[in-house]
């Protein structure tokens, strides 16, 4: 059954991620290339979502991997899995880039809304990705509409809590409470399945 | 702030949503609270899982190579610098003695492209009575000269690395500029099309295929004010060599010539055109097959025919 198979594989992948990051900290280029091969499309997907433009997203993707190279020695396993570390770097770089562009650029970027080229992948990878997506999506579906919305706006769109409050026309305190309770609830649901996710 | 307050900050930190002051305050607390560190790690892993709901996207194929090149440029910088840190088990001693320093010269050809270490081996002091001061003097002088030569070598390498980087960045800038130009063009075209569709006096005409092309269809949107038009056609047979399709606006009984176009491999065409002023008031639209390059008056068979729905 694919679920059981990918569970064992995922554990192995997680362990090897940590080894890759350690190797990068040791100056091994090939380890960085391996991380790129494994995670560039998922990180690029996030960058395109936040930045709406391929050219910007590609610039930022380069910055991300350079930062990975430089900061690998600082990676601490006890603060979260390597994937979370990569995503945090990607998000920060993207949001910095987003904030440095002026308002006019941002409007035209939102209008451009390009559909990015979907990455080609093996049938196995695709199946694993669908399973991961389904696990997270069905967990998200168990949150209230408002909790889901604030989480996605904060994390995947890169909006600050104040920006979310302004957009939804809600008090800042309410938004913060929803964000907190939403993430905690999601954590509770996903807890059992966190092993299955890279 | 008490412990509960710090715990409240964890979820927002995991989502990257704390402001600078809050982040600093939390960092200070985390330094001494294992419970919060553990919970933060789990919340971070939960947050990053959200990324799985996004579609994957493929960056440009050459990005991988560019990143690795950048890394190499960075590496040759850091090994040139004061990097005496031992790598994986080697001691500083090993690094100093194991890697020989190559002869320094200003001749380009003799310098290796990758220098792994510029640690200068120290010569040991010899204790010998009267000659000591003189020997130390010479030693100091030769060390100074050697150090200067090493710095020269270091600067030379750095310069080469920077030149390479500059060349790379220039190439990238040209590439990026070309991209920007293309995107600006595309954007301008998209805006033009939007303006047609959104115009207050916009009209839609549906064209149907004639016996020559019964499956052909076209939708043509035009702005009566500006005369700008955009047409999406499909189902047209490919034009034979030397021929092309031409759009006509029939107004007041007279056919006014419009743009000439051909279809893609799938029989589709997107056409932007500018209608003459006399032809803007709800003409009949006709597409005929003409010699490529177009003609002032229609000569060929009709393929598409239609007018605005009102």
């Amino acid at each position: 059954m694919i679920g059981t198979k990918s569970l064992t594989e995922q554990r192995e992948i997680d362990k090897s991620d940590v080894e890759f990051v350690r190797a990068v900290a040791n100056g091994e280029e090939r380890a960085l290339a391996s991380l790129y091969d494994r995670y560039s499309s998922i990180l690029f997907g996030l960058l395109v979502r936040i930045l709406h433009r391929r050219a910007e997203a590609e610039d930022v993707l380069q910055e991300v991997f350079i930062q990975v190279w430089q900061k690998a020695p600082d990676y601490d396993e006890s603060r979260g899995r390597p994937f979370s570390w990569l995503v945090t770097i990607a998000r920060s770089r993207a949001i910095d880039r987003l904030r440095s562009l002026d308002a006019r650029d941002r409007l035209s970027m939102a209008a451009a809304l390009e559909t990015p080229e979907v990455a080609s992948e093996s049938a196995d990878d695709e199946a694993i990705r669908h399973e991961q997506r389904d696990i997270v999506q069905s967990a998200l579906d168990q949150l209230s509409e408002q909790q889901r919305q604030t989480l996605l706006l904060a994390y995947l769109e890169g909006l600050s809590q104040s920006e979310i409050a302004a957009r939804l026309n809600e008090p800042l305190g309410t938004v913060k409470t929803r964000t907190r309770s939403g993430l905690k609830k999601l954590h509770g649901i996903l807890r059992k399945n966190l092993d299955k996710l890279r | 702030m008490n412990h509960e307050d710090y715990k409240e900050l964890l979820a927002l930190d995991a989502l990257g949503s704390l402001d600078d002051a809050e982040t600093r305050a939390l960092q200070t607390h985390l330094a001494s609270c294992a419970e919060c560190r553990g919970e933060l790690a789990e919340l971070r892993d939960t947050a990053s899982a959200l990324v799985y709901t996004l579609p994957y996207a493929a960056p440009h194929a050459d990005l991988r190579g560019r990143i690795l090149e950048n890394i190499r440029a960075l590496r040759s910088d850091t090994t040139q610098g004061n990097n005496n840190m031992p790598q994986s088990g080697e001691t500083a001693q090993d690094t100093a003695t194991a890697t020989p320093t190559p002869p320094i010269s200003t001749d380009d050809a003799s310098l290796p492209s990758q220098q792994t270490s510029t640690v200068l081996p120290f010569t040991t002091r010899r204790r010998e009575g009267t000659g000591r001061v003189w020997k130390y003097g010479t030693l100091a002088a030769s060390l100074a000269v050697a150090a200067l030569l090493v710095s020269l070598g270091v600067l030379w390498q750095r310069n080469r690395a920077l030149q390479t980087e500059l060349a790379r960045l220039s190439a990238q800038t040209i590439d990026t500029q070309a991209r920007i130009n293309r995107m600006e063009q595309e954007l301008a075209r998209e805006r033009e099309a939007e303006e047609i569709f959104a115009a207050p006096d916009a009209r839609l005409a549906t064209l149907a295929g004639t016996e020559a092309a019964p499956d052909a269809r076209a939708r043509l949107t035009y702005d009566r004010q500006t005369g700008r038009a955009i047409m999406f056609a499909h189902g047209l047979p490919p034009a034979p060599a030397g021929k092309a399709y031409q759009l006509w606006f029939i107004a007041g009984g007279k056919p006014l010539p419009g743009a000439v176009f051909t279809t893609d491999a799938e029989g589709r065409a997107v056409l932007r055109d500018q209608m003459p002023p006399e032809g803007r008031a709800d003409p009949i639209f006709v597409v005929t097959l003409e010699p490529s390059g177009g003609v002032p008056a229609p000569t060929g068979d009709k393929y598409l025919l239609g007018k605005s729905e009102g």
Side-chain angles (χ1 to χ4, degrees):
Chain A
M1 193 191 115
I2 196 169
T4 326
K5 181 181 181 221
S6 60
L7 177 59
T8 326
E9 277 180 3
Q10 294 315 316
R11 286 207 181 110
E12 291 304 307
I13 285 164
D14 224 14
K15 251 179 41 187
S16 74
D17 277 353
V18 174
E19 279 161 18
F20 279 143
V21 176
R22 290 207 185 118
V24 171
N26 241 6
E28 290 178 38
E29 265 177 45
R30 267 182 313 180
L32 187 76
S34 301
L35 283 177
Y36 184 88
D37 293 334
R38 192 176 271 182
Y39 290 121
S40 58
S41 11
I42 190 168
L43 293 176
F44 192 62
L46 175 64
L47 297 180
V48 168
R49 170 61 75 99
I50 293 178
L51 295 166
H52 297 296
R53 259 204 222 181
R54 284 183 72 86
E56 300 289 347
E58 287 185 352
D59 281 351
V60 174
L61 189 67
Q62 284 189 72
E63 283 174 28
V64 167
F65 277 91
I66 291 178
Q67 189 172 339
V68 168
W69 174 260
Q70 292 174 322
K71 302 288 185 183
D74 300 337
Y75 169 69
D76 181 356
E77 214 179 326
S78 67
R79 283 146 127 241
R81 50 185 42 191
F83 179 64
S84 305
W85 179 65
L86 292 172
V87 169
T88 304
I89 293 176
R91 262 191 92 251
S92 306
R93 296 280 66 75
I95 290 170
D96 286 349
R97 176 67 67 109
L98 192 67
R99 303 237 159 103
S100 77
L101 294 167
D102 73 16
R104 188 172 58 93
D105 282 340
R106 278 207 240 175
L107 276 178
S108 75
M109 266 167 31
L113 279 179
E114 290 179 42
T115 24
E117 229 173 274
V118 173
S120 62
E121 50 188 348
S122 70
D124 277 347
D125 283 347
E126 194 181 336
I128 291 172
R129 178 169 66 79
H130 283 162
E131 195 191 359
Q132 290 165 341
R133 184 195 56 198
D134 291 344
I135 289 172
V136 180
Q137 194 58 59
S138 59
L140 270 175
D141 290 341
Q142 292 174 55
L143 267 49
S144 76
E145 166 79 41
Q146 295 151 328
Q147 284 170 331
R148 188 165 49 244
Q149 202 178 28
T150 47
L151 277 188
L152 298 181
L153 285 175
Y155 203 68
L156 297 184
E157 308 277 341
L159 297 186
S160 71
Q161 297 286 289
S162 326
E163 284 168 340
I164 297 173
R167 187 184 286 200
L168 301 179
N169 205 15
E170 300 263 28
L172 183 59
T174 310
V175 170
K176 284 190 175 175
T177 308
R178 272 197 209 134
T179 311
R180 272 198 294 267
S181 61
L183 188 65
K184 293 210 178 113
K185 187 165 180 193
L186 189 66
H187 173 243
I189 300 167
L190 279 183
R191 196 173 213 157
K192 321 177 264 290
N193 276 318
L194 267 176
D195 276 341
K196 284 199 187 140
L197 303 171
R198 283 195 199 177
Chain B
M1 291 218 289
N2 63 30
H3 193 246
E4 273 316 300
D5 297 324
Y6 286 115
K7 284 190 76 165
E8 290 280 281
L9 293 179
L10 293 177
L12 289 176
D13 187 67
L15 292 165
S17 297
L18 285 184
D19 65 39
D20 289 340
E22 289 169 323
T23 307
R24 279 196 296 271
L26 184 60
Q27 290 308 312
T28 316
H29 172 74
L30 287 175
S32 57
C33 182
E35 182 198 337
C36 283
R37 283 201 300 272
E39 192 176 331
L40 181 59
E42 296 212 358
L43 288 173
R44 278 207 177 123
D45 290 342
T46 307
S48 65
L50 289 171
V51 176
Y52 292 123
T53 59
L54 292 174
Y56 284 24
H60 203 266
D62 65 5
L63 218 69
R64 188 184 189 273
R66 273 196 246 154
I67 288 170
L68 293 174
E69 260 173 55
N70 277 342
I71 300 299
R72 280 173 209 140
L74 283 172
R75 284 189 88 159
S76 61
D77 256 6
T78 49
T79 53
Q80 298 302 333
N82 215 3
N83 188 9
N84 291 323
M85 302 254 286
Q87 299 282 325
S88 54
E90 282 177 60
T91 62
Q93 287 282 26
D94 294 346
T95 326
T97 53
T99 344
T101 36
I104 311 276
S105 85
T106 52
D107 177 3
D108 195 8
S110 71
L111 278 171
S113 53
Q114 283 287 341
Q115 234 176 312
T116 49
S117 170
T118 53
V119 175
L120 185 69
F122 283 94
T123 53
T124 52
R125 289 184 178 183
R126 286 179 343 200
R127 297 173 182 274
E128 273 177 12
T130 53
R132 196 189 293 183
V133 170
W134 180 81
K135 278 179 182 149
Y136 283 165
T138 321
L139 184 64
S142 51
L143 277 179
V145 169
L148 271 174
L149 289 174
V150 168
S151 310
L152 231 148
V154 166
L155 285 172
W156 181 271
Q157 279 300 89
R158 189 162 254 154
N159 186 46
R160 277 164 60 97
L162 284 172
Q163 294 296 341
T164 313
E165 184 63 11
L166 185 62
R168 191 192 66 79
L169 285 172
S170 303
Q172 199 174 342
T173 306
I174 294 170
D175 191 34
T176 306
Q177 191 56 52
R179 246 191 211 153
I180 289 177
N181 290 343
R182 277 198 305 272
M183 290 175 78
E184 277 176 348
Q185 271 174 33
E186 249 183 68
L187 192 61
R189 281 166 68 86
E190 293 303 324
R191 286 214 178 107
E192 233 183 70
E194 261 179 55
E195 279 164 19
I196 298 172
F197 292 123
D201 213 5
R203 289 280 191 277
L204 174 65
T206 315
L207 283 66
T210 61
E211 295 140 354
D215 292 329
R217 292 285 179 277
R219 290 169 73 80
L220 195 156
T221 307
Y222 60 104
D223 178 1
R224 283 162 51 128
Q225 285 278 346
T226 62
R228 297 226 294 261
I230 181 165
M231 182 174 80
F232 299 92
H234 59 97
L236 283 170
K243 295 211 172 229
Y245 292 103
Q246 187 164 359
L247 178 64
W248 303 90
F249 317 102
I250 317 231
K254 247 182 39 155
L256 302 163
V260 177
F261 64 99
T262 51
T263 57
D264 66 13
E266 274 118 44
R268 290 188 301 233
V270 179
L271 179 69
R272 289 155 205 262
D273 202 1
Q274 180 65 44
M275 298 163 73
E278 330 80 274
R280 288 177 202 171
D282 301 329
I284 296 175
F285 298 96
V286 183
V287 171
T288 61
L289 188 66
E290 304 293 350
S292 55
V295 286
T299 65
D301 290 335
K302 299 196 187 77
Y303 280 72
L304 284 165
L305 190 55
K307 77 174 289 193
S308 121
E309 282 143 19

